Amino acid sequence: MKCLSQTELFEALWDEATGEQVAVHLAECVACRAALADMRTLDANLAAAHRPYSLAHEAGRERLLAALEHLDPPRVRVGLGWTPNRWMGGLTVAQRTAIGGVALAALLAGVLLWVGSPAPRASAMERMAENVRRAKSYEVTMDMEVALPGGKGSWSEGTSKLYWLAPGSMRSDEKGTPGTSMASLNSTLIQPARKPGVRIDHTRRVYWREPEQLGKPLPLSMVEGFGHFAGQADRELGAKEIDSKQARGFEIAIEKVDPDAFEGTLEIWIDEATDLPVLVRISPQLSPPSVLTLHDFRWNVEFDPKLFDTTPPAGYKDATPAELTLDERVDWFRQGLATFAELSGGHYPRVEIIYGDVTLDEMKRLARFDSPPTPEQVRTDEYVKIQRAVRSFAMLNSLFRENPDMAYYGRTVDARDKDKVLLRWQLDDGRHQVMYGDLRSETVSPERLRELEAK
């Protein structure tokens, strides 16, 4: 049997009852297993990309202030994750879409976090931050473009229409660009504030239930409170007219907004009349270059309440995967962390917030894969192992947003610290699941956790 087409791979991704011939081929073909792993990784991160915006004001403000002081993936499910796209010259769809998740947080958040800083136009930026904090709603279009080799222009991967309503309800309608690897993408994510959400795939006519967001938001994931960031723009970009509005532009390094995200630049253009963003552009340092653009902002608009209704369309099938058991979740985390430690010589991702796409790039670098990896490298078992680890890290990322007491200490704890807490999260009964530096895991009481973290 020849290698599976993209259509057959998508069918294997979505249908649990894979045909016998396809199942046998997947068992024998390393290349198709890698491609299917890629698609699984993509699926989870598309689902996770916009979740940060569904979290409430008070929790976001608390997390933001804590993050500033220290500077320092979905209720985990089996079938979801992101994936590198081997057919697009090395820049992964995961990276492009995930930059959408990191970017949308780092665009609206970073933009707004930074504007309260004591830069030369401090008063104007403070007014903007204040106006954003007071915003009752916004609507914006997000485009992802990837540069063609040799400076021959670019192509669009897809477009998302985003809606946000205070205190934290959000909706994202995502469509792929015809003729690209994302052409079949036609999905909707709806996440009401502090309520369960739903993701709908209109192409497959299926939907997934999304868990309520109970954890603290990531540092750059809330619109409210961004004006409290004490940063400074790297340079001013002057003035120009955008959508019939006079706007001034500013540029800031992405790592100043989120040190755990990609390197690159963040550009924001602010309406001089309203002190609100009219255009945001993020340019991560990837190969080939890509740009995520947020445009056509509409602030403080009245939305139809049905926009955030989580009732699935009639005739759509419930495809919500079964939730992992605690042991399965621990095994996923252990495998991902062990893979990273094996490649890095004993340390884990040295960050406070784990992003699946960022760890993917680092693991490919540690494994000395070419940039982009060659077709031969992509077909290796090591590449498949890295993809599995990325899926694990996507799950960890989601745990930050879904669990009320999640912490990761990879900056200071490595494989040599066998008795130190590397990772912990709260269980439904109030106890905590702990993973140590040597990747042992156990369930402990709150009192015992305090003792362990005091060491």
Side-chain angles (χ1 to χ4, degrees), residues 88-348:
M88 311 228 22
L91 174 64
T92 71
V93 173
Q95 290 166 340
R96 294 193 288 271
T97 341
I99 291 171
V102 172
L104 198 44
L107 291 177
L108 288 173
V111 165
L112 307 173
L113 273 168
W114 152 74
V115 294
S117 67
R121 290 177 56 84
S123 61
M125 292 187 288
E126 287 170 354
R127 288 195 303 273
M128 175 188 155
E130 180 67 20
N131 288 340
V132 169
R133 290 195 299 271
R134 291 180 176 178
K136 296 179 180 179
S137 65
Y138 67 76
E139 173 185 325
V140 65
T141 299
M142 180 176 73
D143 296 328
M144 173 61 75
E145 290 190 323
V146 181
L148 292 168
K152 298 179 180 179
S154 63
W155 76 83
S156 171
E157 278 290 282
T159 297
S160 296
K161 191 74 172 183
L162 304 164
Y163 309 85
W164 179 87
L165 178 66
S169 295
M170 64 80 59
R171 176 187 176 114
S172 172
D173 294 311
E174 304 154 344
K175 288 191 176 182
T177 301
T180 72
S181 65
M182 300 291 287
S184 63
L185 176 64
N186 181 10
S187 67
T188 297
L189 172 64
I190 302 171
Q191 190 80 56
R194 293 291 174 172
K195 293 181 181 179
V198 64
R199 171 168 284 278
I200 304 167
D201 185 320
H202 301 288
T203 302
R204 302 286 300 182
R205 295 177 63 84
V206 298
Y207 66 90
W208 303 264
R209 295 295 182 184
E210 295 289 334
E212 180 182 355
Q213 304 296 284
L214 299 174
K216 296 178 180 180
L218 306 185
L220 301 180
S221 64
M222 293 297 296
V223 173
E224 300 86 346
F226 289 155
H228 297 286
F229 184 74
Q232 185 173 349
D234 294 314
R235 68 187 181 107
E236 294 196 29
L237 302 176
K240 68 178 179 180
E241 184 176 299
I242 300 175
D243 298 333
S244 301
K245 301 177 179 71
Q246 290 298 317
R248 294 194 65 83
F250 302 88
E251 183 180 275
I252 186 171
I254 294 173
E255 56 266 33
K256 288 186 176 180
V257 177
D258 187 345
D260 295 330
F262 285 105
E263 295 182 358
T265 57
L266 174 70
E267 179 183 322
I268 175 174
W269 292 85
I270 304 169
D271 184 348
E272 291 188 325
T274 64
D275 290 320
L276 284 169
V278 292
L279 178 71
V280 179
R281 184 175 291 117
I282 188 169
S283 303
Q285 292 181 4
L286 296 173
S287 178
S290 63
V291 176
L292 184 81
T293 303
L294 273 73
H295 58 95
D296 294 337
F297 278 93
R298 295 178 64 219
W299 292 91
N300 299 310
V301 293
E302 293 291 333
F303 291 140
D304 185 337
K306 293 181 180 179
L307 198 65
F308 302 98
D309 183 0
T310 58
T311 304
Y316 281 44
K317 179 183 176 182
D318 187 348
T320 306
E323 186 175 350
L324 293 181
T325 66
L326 178 60
D327 287 343
E328 289 171 333
R329 181 179 297 198
V330 168
D331 283 344
W332 269 105
F333 294 165
R334 182 180 290 119
Q335 290 175 36
L337 291 164
T339 297
F340 194 99
E342 179 183 332
L343 292 170
S344 68
H347 71 79
Y348 306 114

Side-chain angles (χ1 to χ4, degrees), residues 359-370:
T359 57
L360 170 62
D361 268 16
E362 187 166 0
M363 284 188 290
K364 288 193 295 186
R365 178 182 58 80
L366 291 168
R368 296 185 175 157
F369 286 124
D370 295 335

Side-chain angles (χ1 to χ4, degrees), residues 30 33-34 37 378 380-389:
V30 172
R33 288 203 308 275
V378 169
T380 62
D381 288 339
E382 185 173 22
Y383 195 88
V384 174
K385 188 176 181 180
I386 287 174
Q387 287 305 309
R388 187 175 178 86

